[in-house]
Amino acid sequence: MSTDTTTTSGDISEAAPPPVPLRRNWRFQALWTGQAGATLGLHLADTAYPLLLLGLTGSSTLAGAFGALQIGASVLFGIHGGVVADRHDRRRVLIAGDAVRLIACASVPLAMALDRLTVAHTLLVAVVIGATIAYTGPVRLIAVRSVVPPEQLRQALAQDEARMSGAALVGPPLAGALLGLGRAAPFVGTAIASLLALTAALLVRFPGRPEAPAGTGSAPGSRRGSRKGDPAGHGAKAGDGHGHGAKPGPDALAGYRHVVRDSLLRPVVTAVLLINVAAAAMLLPVMVVLRGQGTSSAGIGLALAGEAVGALAGTLLVGRLHRYAGPGVLLLAVCWLTVPVTLAPLLPGGPVTVFAALFLVGLGIPTLRVMIDLLVFRQVPDALRGRVIAATMTLFTVGMPAGTVGSGLLLDHFSPAVALGAVAALLGAALLPMTAGRALRRATWPERAPEPATATA
């Protein structure tokens, strides 16, 4: 009897304490605040800089060049950004990237004050912002994961989605409001947002070095073993990242190879890429349709905000949707919903119909983003995680310019109705083989990362 009592006491004393509620996890909340500042600054820049270039030159081409250069730099440096995240101290990478972006953003209002701002200077800032996204983007996602226990990861990622959706919703109108206060105001705001992100990176300490693989032939470090849980055992000593694929050549593409070889991640990334291409392709025809119906510029902006509003509301549904269906079923449902939504602008109702349709699709966007994060965090070894995240970010981004250019070419020769119909038809045709295949329909959620172990007799 006494032995049983002693064992029970030992079990209780060795049991891990419950995790701190996420709202009281100051490291996560500080990182989240810094990330919110960085994201808001990017959305301010996406609106303010093209307007600045339009005012300086009167050229729509140069105004559009800002976004094109920013995306191009993000794609160009994406491969190297993933390698850096896996080889070097991630916290230092985040601090350096935020510091560089702060200097670039602060240089614009300073040049305005000195009356020395040029078009070349402005476009160079676009390149710097895009490059810093490539280096800090993977690290920010990893940083969130590193300060949150596994059982709170889904909740933390859902809150992170609220940050992204909220910034997308607030950024453009805030940039317009700041422009009303003064020509330099939105650029000062962008610099302040970058300063907030840098401050959070300086204050919060998180594991900077990637976890070293547990062994070359053991299951935790091997490709097969990496498909479950958090592969590189938490008791392993963190390596410096140079012992795993130190040569820069083929190792730089390891993230892309992992995405291509993974039977679940590959179709997921492909499907989201298709959604991004379709969303970018429908934007210009929708604007042309609404303009032809007599909708004002403000009305068009409000109608297109439907997706951001829906995504903000969708953050509340992430947990429920993940419980009700597997990742593949959820992905296919959102993808197929996008097909009729593409044709919604042709229905009666004008901007109200467009807003409602985009809101409906937006509800599922946070669920898909969190799903991809979970697939990466629960299946990919930490030593490879930065490159896989960089690969997915690059693949998601690279299709958007193609969609924009493709819709422009369609509008040069056909009506907006034909352009939207072509986008919907192409998206539906691309989704058919994925729907017919078994990989997505039978996909299940990856195993939860191991919970804190309790002592047993």
Side-chain angles (χ1 to χ4, degrees):
M1 182 70 69
S2 60
T3 303
D4 293 340
T5 303
T6 303
T7 302
T8 302
S9 300
D11 291 348
I12 295 174
S13 64
E14 294 179 10
V20 176
L22 199 59
R23 66 180 181 277
R24 290 166 49 194
N25 185 335
W26 80 267
R27 290 200 300 165
F28 169 75
Q29 296 300 341
L31 277 175
W32 184 89
T33 302
Q35 290 176 348
T39 307
L40 180 60
L42 290 175
H43 284 286
L44 285 174
D46 289 343
T47 302
Y49 279 95
L51 292 176
L52 173 65
L53 287 166
L54 191 61
L56 287 174
T57 66
S59 170
S60 299
T61 301
L62 285 176
F66 183 90
L69 287 173
Q70 180 177 316
I71 293 176
S74 181
V75 172
L76 180 63
F77 289 98
I79 296 177
H80 190 246
V83 173
V84 169
D86 284 339
R87 288 187 178 175
H88 300 283
D89 188 297
R90 290 165 174 167
R91 183 169 174 267
R92 292 182 180 178
V93 172
L94 184 60
I95 291 173
D98 285 343
V100 170
R101 183 166 61 249
L102 172 60
I103 293 172
C105 292
S107 70
V108 173
L110 179 60
M112 285 181 172
L114 299 175
D115 198 23
R116 295 295 180 88
L117 184 66
T118 64
V119 173
H121 180 176
T122 308
L123 295 179
L124 179 61
V125 171
V127 174
V128 173
I129 291 176
T132 57
I133 291 173
Y135 288 100
T136 62
V139 176
R140 289 190 191 281
L141 284 176
I142 295 173
V144 169
R145 187 261 184 200
S146 67
V147 299
V148 173
E151 58 268 31
Q152 292 181 343
L153 181 58
R154 196 189 305 269
Q155 180 186 357
L157 293 174
Q159 181 174 329
D160 201 44
E161 282 302 311
R163 178 259 309 176
M164 294 182 63
S165 303
L169 182 61
V170 174
L174 179 59
L178 290 175
L179 275 173
L181 297 177
R183 180 167 174 252
F187 308 101
V188 173
T190 301
I192 293 174
S194 299
L195 177 61
L196 179 62
L198 176 60
T199 302
L202 289 169
L203 290 177
V204 180
R205 294 189 177 275
F206 58 89
R209 294 289 186 180
E211 295 173 358
T216 56
S218 60
S222 65
R223 185 185 307 160
R224 185 177 300 275
S226 69
R227 304 180 68 82
K228 295 191 177 185
D230 193 13
H234 292 284
K237 182 179 179 181
D240 60 7
H242 294 283
H244 179 66
K247 295 182 180 181
D251 187 60
L253 300 176
Y256 292 89
R257 291 198 302 271
H258 183 93
V259 171
V260 171
R261 293 171 180 172
D262 191 286
S263 60
L264 178 57
L265 200 56
R266 181 180 64 252
V268 166
V269 171
T270 302
V272 176
L273 171 63
L274 291 173
I275 291 179
N276 285 346
V277 172
M282 70 177 290
L283 181 61
L284 188 57
V286 167
M287 296 173 68
V288 173
V289 169
L290 292 178
R291 177 68 72 183
Q293 295 174 350
T295 306
S296 65
S297 298
I300 294 175
L302 289 174
L304 296 178
E307 181 180 349
V309 176
L312 189 60
T315 59
L316 303 175
L317 304 176
V318 171
R320 296 178 182 177
L321 292 177
H322 282 199
R323 287 193 299 268
Y324 291 153
V329 173
L330 285 175
L331 178 65
L332 290 173
V334 175
C335 288
W336 279 109
L337 182 62
T338 307
V339 175
V341 165
T342 305
L343 302 174
L346 305 179
L347 299 175
V352 176
T353 301
V354 172
F355 180 92
L358 293 178
F359 177 88
L360 190 60
V361 170
L363 286 174
I365 298 301
T367 298
L368 296 188
R369 289 175 177 164
V370 173
M371 176 185 71
I372 295 171
D373 292 337
L374 290 174
L375 292 178
V376 172
F377 286 137
R378 290 183 177 176
Q379 295 190 129
V380 179
D382 186 60
L384 183 61
R385 197 169 288 157
R387 280 164 289 177
V388 173
I389 293 175
T392 57
M393 291 176 60
T394 302
L395 291 172
F396 293 162
T397 303
V398 73
M400 298 171 67
T404 303
V405 172
S407 66
L409 292 174
L410 286 172
L411 289 174
D412 285 341
H413 300 88
F414 305 99
S415 67
V418 173
L420 291 173
V423 172
L426 291 173
L427 178 59
L431 291 175
L432 282 176
M434 295 186 185
T435 307
R438 298 179 179 180
L440 286 178
R441 289 187 289 109
R442 296 185 178 182
T444 58
W445 291 106
E447 293 182 11
R448 180 181 294 275
E451 305 286 349
T454 56
T456 58

Coordinates of all heavy atoms in Angstrom, one line a residue, residues 405-449:
V405 N -0.6 39.0 -65.3 CA -0.2 39.2 -66.7 C -1.2 38.4 -67.6 O -1.7 39.0 -68.6 CB 1.2 38.7 -67.0 CG1 1.5 38.7 -68.5 CG2 2.2 39.6 -66.2
G406 N -1.6 37.2 -67.2 CA -2.5 36.4 -68.0 C -3.9 37.1 -68.2 O -4.5 37.1 -69.3
S407 N -4.4 37.6 -67.1 CA -5.7 38.3 -67.2 C -5.6 39.6 -68.0 O -6.6 39.9 -68.7 CB -6.2 38.6 -65.8 OG -5.4 39.6 -65.1
G408 N -4.5 40.3 -67.9 CA -4.3 41.4 -68.7 C -4.3 41.1 -70.2 O -4.9 41.8 -71.0
L409 N -3.6 40.0 -70.6 CA -3.6 39.6 -72.0 C -5.0 39.2 -72.4 O -5.4 39.5 -73.6 CB -2.7 38.4 -72.2 CG -1.2 38.7 -72.0 CD1 -0.3 37.5 -72.0 CD2 -0.7 39.7 -73.0
L410 N -5.8 38.5 -71.6 CA -7.2 38.1 -71.9 C -8.0 39.4 -72.2 O -8.8 39.4 -73.1 CB -7.8 37.2 -70.8 CG -7.3 35.8 -70.8 CD1 -7.8 35.1 -69.5 CD2 -7.7 35.0 -72.0
L411 N -7.9 40.4 -71.3 CA -8.7 41.6 -71.4 C -8.3 42.4 -72.6 O -9.1 43.2 -73.1 CB -8.5 42.4 -70.1 CG -9.2 41.9 -68.9 CD1 -8.8 42.8 -67.7 CD2 -10.7 41.8 -69.0
D412 N -7.1 42.2 -73.1 CA -6.7 42.9 -74.4 C -7.5 42.4 -75.6 O -7.6 43.1 -76.6 CB -5.2 42.8 -74.6 CG -4.4 43.7 -73.7 OD1 -5.0 44.6 -73.1 OD2 -3.2 43.4 -73.5
H413 N -8.0 41.2 -75.5 CA -8.6 40.6 -76.7 C -10.1 40.2 -76.4 O -10.8 40.0 -77.4 CB -7.8 39.4 -77.1 CG -6.4 39.7 -77.5 ND1 -5.4 39.7 -76.6 CD2 -5.9 40.0 -78.7 CE1 -4.3 40.0 -77.2 NE2 -4.5 40.1 -78.5
F414 N -10.5 40.0 -75.2 CA -11.8 39.6 -74.9 C -12.5 40.4 -73.8 O -11.8 41.3 -73.2 CB -11.8 38.1 -74.4 CG -11.1 37.2 -75.3 CD1 -9.8 36.8 -75.1 CD2 -11.8 36.7 -76.5 CE1 -9.2 35.9 -76.0 CE2 -11.2 35.8 -77.4 CZ -9.9 35.4 -77.1
S415 N -13.8 40.2 -73.6 CA -14.5 40.9 -72.6 C -14.2 40.4 -71.2 O -13.6 39.3 -71.0 CB -16.0 40.8 -72.8 OG -16.4 39.4 -72.6
P416 N -14.5 41.2 -70.1 CA -14.2 40.7 -68.8 C -15.0 39.4 -68.5 O -14.5 38.5 -67.7 CB -14.7 41.8 -67.9 CG -14.6 43.1 -68.7 CD -14.9 42.6 -70.1
A417 N -16.2 39.3 -69.0 CA -16.9 38.0 -68.8 C -16.2 36.8 -69.3 O -16.1 35.8 -68.7 CB -18.3 38.2 -69.4
V418 N -15.6 36.9 -70.5 CA -14.9 35.8 -71.1 C -13.6 35.6 -70.3 O -13.3 34.4 -70.1 CB -14.5 36.2 -72.6 CG1 -13.6 35.1 -73.2 CG2 -15.8 36.3 -73.4
A419 N -13.0 36.6 -69.8 CA -11.7 36.4 -69.0 C -12.0 35.7 -67.7 O -11.3 34.8 -67.4 CB -11.1 37.8 -68.8
L420 N -13.1 36.1 -67.1 CA -13.5 35.4 -65.8 C -13.9 34.0 -66.1 O -13.6 33.1 -65.3 CB -14.6 36.2 -65.1 CG -14.2 37.6 -64.5 CD1 -15.4 38.3 -64.0 CD2 -13.2 37.4 -63.4
G421 N -14.6 33.8 -67.2 CA -15.0 32.4 -67.5 C -13.8 31.5 -67.8 O -13.8 30.4 -67.4
A422 N -12.8 32.1 -68.5 CA -11.6 31.3 -68.8 C -10.8 31.0 -67.5 O -10.4 29.8 -67.3 CB -10.7 32.1 -69.7
V423 N -10.8 31.9 -66.6 CA -10.1 31.6 -65.3 C -10.8 30.5 -64.5 O -10.2 29.6 -64.0 CB -10.0 32.9 -64.4 CG1 -9.5 32.6 -63.0 CG2 -9.1 34.0 -65.1
A424 N -12.1 30.6 -64.5 CA -12.9 29.6 -63.8 C -12.7 28.2 -64.4 O -12.6 27.2 -63.7 CB -14.4 30.0 -63.7
A425 N -12.8 28.2 -65.7 CA -12.6 26.9 -66.5 C -11.3 26.3 -66.3 O -11.1 25.1 -66.0 CB -12.9 27.1 -67.9
L426 N -10.2 27.1 -66.4 CA -8.9 26.6 -66.2 C -8.7 26.1 -64.8 O -8.0 25.0 -64.6 CB -7.9 27.7 -66.5 CG -7.8 28.1 -68.0 CD1 -6.8 29.3 -68.2 CD2 -7.3 26.9 -68.8
L427 N -9.2 26.8 -63.8 CA -9.0 26.4 -62.4 C -9.8 25.1 -62.2 O -9.2 24.1 -61.5 CB -9.6 27.4 -61.4 CG -9.6 27.1 -59.9 CD1 -8.1 26.8 -59.5 CD2 -10.2 28.2 -59.1
G428 N -11.0 25.0 -62.7 CA -11.8 23.7 -62.5 C -11.1 22.5 -63.2 O -11.0 21.4 -62.7
A429 N -10.5 22.8 -64.4 CA -9.8 21.7 -65.1 C -8.6 21.2 -64.3 O -8.3 20.0 -64.3 CB -9.4 22.2 -66.5
A430 N -7.9 22.2 -63.7 CA -6.7 21.8 -63.0 C -7.0 21.1 -61.7 O -6.2 20.2 -61.2 CB -5.9 23.1 -62.6
L431 N -8.2 21.3 -61.1 CA -8.6 20.7 -59.9 C -9.1 19.3 -60.1 O -9.1 18.5 -59.2 CB -9.7 21.5 -59.2 CG -9.2 22.8 -58.6 CD1 -10.4 23.6 -58.0 CD2 -8.1 22.6 -57.5
L432 N -9.6 19.0 -61.3 CA -10.2 17.6 -61.6 C -9.2 16.5 -61.2 O -9.6 15.5 -60.5 CB -10.7 17.6 -63.0 CG -12.0 18.3 -63.3 CD1 -12.3 18.2 -64.8 CD2 -13.1 17.7 -62.5
P433 N -8.0 16.5 -61.7 CA -7.1 15.3 -61.4 C -6.8 15.2 -59.9 O -6.7 14.1 -59.4 CB -5.9 15.6 -62.2 CG -5.9 17.0 -62.6 CD -7.3 17.4 -62.7
M434 N -6.7 16.4 -59.2 CA -6.5 16.3 -57.8 C -7.7 15.7 -57.0 O -7.5 15.0 -56.1 CB -6.2 17.7 -57.2 CG -4.9 18.3 -57.8 SD -4.6 19.9 -56.9 CE -3.2 20.5 -57.9
T435 N -8.9 16.1 -57.5 CA -10.1 15.6 -56.8 C -10.2 14.1 -57.1 O -10.7 13.3 -56.2 CB -11.3 16.3 -57.3 OG1 -11.1 17.7 -57.2 CG2 -12.5 15.9 -56.6
A436 N -9.9 13.6 -58.3 CA -10.0 12.2 -58.7 C -9.0 11.4 -58.0 O -9.2 10.2 -57.7 CB -9.9 12.0 -60.2
G437 N -7.9 11.9 -57.7 CA -6.8 11.1 -57.0 C -7.1 10.9 -55.5 O -8.0 11.5 -54.9
R438 N -6.4 10.0 -54.9 CA -6.7 9.5 -53.6 C -5.9 10.3 -52.5 O -6.2 10.3 -51.4 CB -6.4 8.0 -53.4 CG -7.3 7.1 -54.3 CD -6.9 5.7 -54.1 NE -7.7 4.8 -54.9 CZ -7.6 3.5 -54.9 NH1 -6.7 2.9 -54.2 NH2 -8.4 2.7 -55.6
A439 N -4.8 10.9 -53.0 CA -3.8 11.5 -52.0 C -4.5 12.5 -51.1 O -4.4 12.5 -49.9 CB -2.7 12.2 -52.7
L440 N -5.3 13.5 -51.7 CA -6.0 14.5 -50.9 C -7.2 14.0 -50.2 O -7.5 14.3 -49.0 CB -6.3 15.7 -51.8 CG -5.1 16.6 -52.2 CD1 -5.6 17.7 -53.2 CD2 -4.4 17.2 -51.0
R441 N -8.0 13.2 -50.9 CA -9.3 12.7 -50.3 C -9.1 11.9 -49.1 O -9.9 11.8 -48.2 CB -10.1 12.0 -51.4 CG -10.7 12.9 -52.4 CD -11.7 12.3 -53.4 NE -11.0 11.3 -54.3 CZ -11.1 10.0 -54.2 NH1 -11.8 9.5 -53.2 NH2 -10.5 9.2 -55.0
R442 N -8.0 11.1 -49.0 CA -7.7 10.2 -47.9 C -6.7 10.8 -46.9 O -6.3 10.1 -46.0 CB -7.3 8.9 -48.5 CG -8.3 8.1 -49.3 CD -7.8 6.8 -49.7 NE -8.8 6.0 -50.5 CZ -8.7 4.8 -50.9 NH1 -7.5 4.2 -50.7 NH2 -9.6 4.2 -51.6
A443 N -6.3 12.0 -47.1 CA -5.2 12.5 -46.3 C -5.8 12.7 -44.9 O -6.9 13.1 -44.7 CB -4.7 13.9 -46.8
T444 N -4.9 12.5 -43.9 CA -5.3 12.7 -42.5 C -4.3 13.7 -41.9 O -3.2 13.9 -42.4 CB -5.2 11.4 -41.7 OG1 -3.9 10.8 -41.8 CG2 -6.2 10.4 -42.2
W445 N -4.6 14.2 -40.7 CA -3.8 15.2 -40.1 C -2.5 14.5 -39.6 O -2.6 13.4 -39.1 CB -4.5 15.8 -38.9 CG -5.6 16.7 -39.3 CD1 -6.9 16.5 -39.2 CD2 -5.5 18.0 -40.0 NE1 -7.6 17.6 -39.8 CE2 -6.8 18.5 -40.2 CE3 -4.4 18.8 -40.3 CZ2 -7.0 19.7 -40.8 CZ3 -4.6 20.0 -40.9 CH2 -5.9 20.5 -41.2
P446 N -1.4 15.1 -39.7 CA -0.1 14.5 -39.1 C -0.3 14.4 -37.6 O -1.1 15.0 -37.0 CB 1.0 15.6 -39.5 CG 0.4 16.4 -40.5 CD -1.1 16.4 -40.3
E447 N 0.5 13.4 -37.1 CA 0.4 13.2 -35.7 C 0.8 14.4 -34.9 O 1.8 15.1 -35.3 CB 1.3 12.0 -35.3 CG 0.9 10.6 -35.9 CD 1.8 9.5 -35.4 OE1 2.6 9.8 -34.5 OE2 1.6 8.4 -36.0
R448 N 0.1 14.6 -33.8 CA 0.5 15.7 -32.9 C 1.9 15.5 -32.4 O 2.3 14.4 -32.1 CB -0.5 15.8 -31.8 CG -0.2 17.0 -30.8 CD -1.2 17.0 -29.7 NE -2.5 17.3 -30.2 CZ -3.0 18.6 -30.4 NH1 -2.2 19.6 -30.1 NH2 -4.2 18.8 -30.8
A449 N 2.6 16.6 -32.2 CA 4.0 16.5 -31.6 C 3.8 15.9 -30.2 O 2.8 16.1 -29.5 CB 4.6 17.9 -31.5

